[in-house]
Amino acid sequence: MGSAQKLLTQILMGTSDANIRFSNLCHILSRLGFEMRVSGSHHIFRMLGVEEKINLQKDGNKAKPYQVKQVRNVILKYKLGGEINGQV
């Protein structure tokens, strides 16, 4: 299992939302097919077929826990997880 798949599993389990690196969360969303645009400190992710937009901001070098939960909910709602191989 690649490190990207391990990170996705960690996000989906929801046991360490406060310990997800911001850059890794952005990378996972990109690997899942989301397009990113940056507006100031906001990193906004959109994907065709996904109604919600995901708006992330850094909290130091970590992602904010409530935003990790939002990402998890979108992944589960749209069944986006699948197999992600490779490095984060």
Side-chain angles (χ1 to χ4, degrees):
M1 178 185 308
S3 61
Q5 188 65 41
K6 287 180 186 176
L7 178 62
L8 181 61
T9 301
Q10 184 180 14
I11 292 168
L12 293 176
M13 287 178 55
T15 55
S16 58
D17 288 354
N19 288 323
I20 304 293
R21 292 181 58 88
F22 179 82
S23 59
N24 289 347
L25 187 60
C26 290
H27 184 75
I28 285 292
L29 288 170
S30 294
R31 294 282 301 268
L32 290 172
F34 285 84
E35 292 185 19
M36 179 179 73
R37 111 180 135 80
V38 179
S39 178
S41 64
H42 296 262
H43 292 64
I44 301 161
F45 292 85
R46 298 293 311 230
M47 182 177 180
L48 190 64
V50 174
E51 190 174 319
E52 297 86 347
K53 69 178 172 184
I54 299 173
N55 184 357
L56 303 179
Q57 289 178 284
K58 285 184 180 182
D59 187 12
N61 67 343
K62 304 286 184 186
K64 294 180 180 184
Y66 79 91
Q67 292 173 340
V68 175
K69 183 178 178 181
Q70 289 174 344
V71 169
R72 178 174 47 256
N73 290 339
V74 168
I75 291 171
L76 292 173
K77 179 179 178 180
Y78 294 95
K79 299 177 181 157
L80 300 174
E83 270 300 302
I84 296 181
N85 294 313
Q87 302 295 316
V88 173

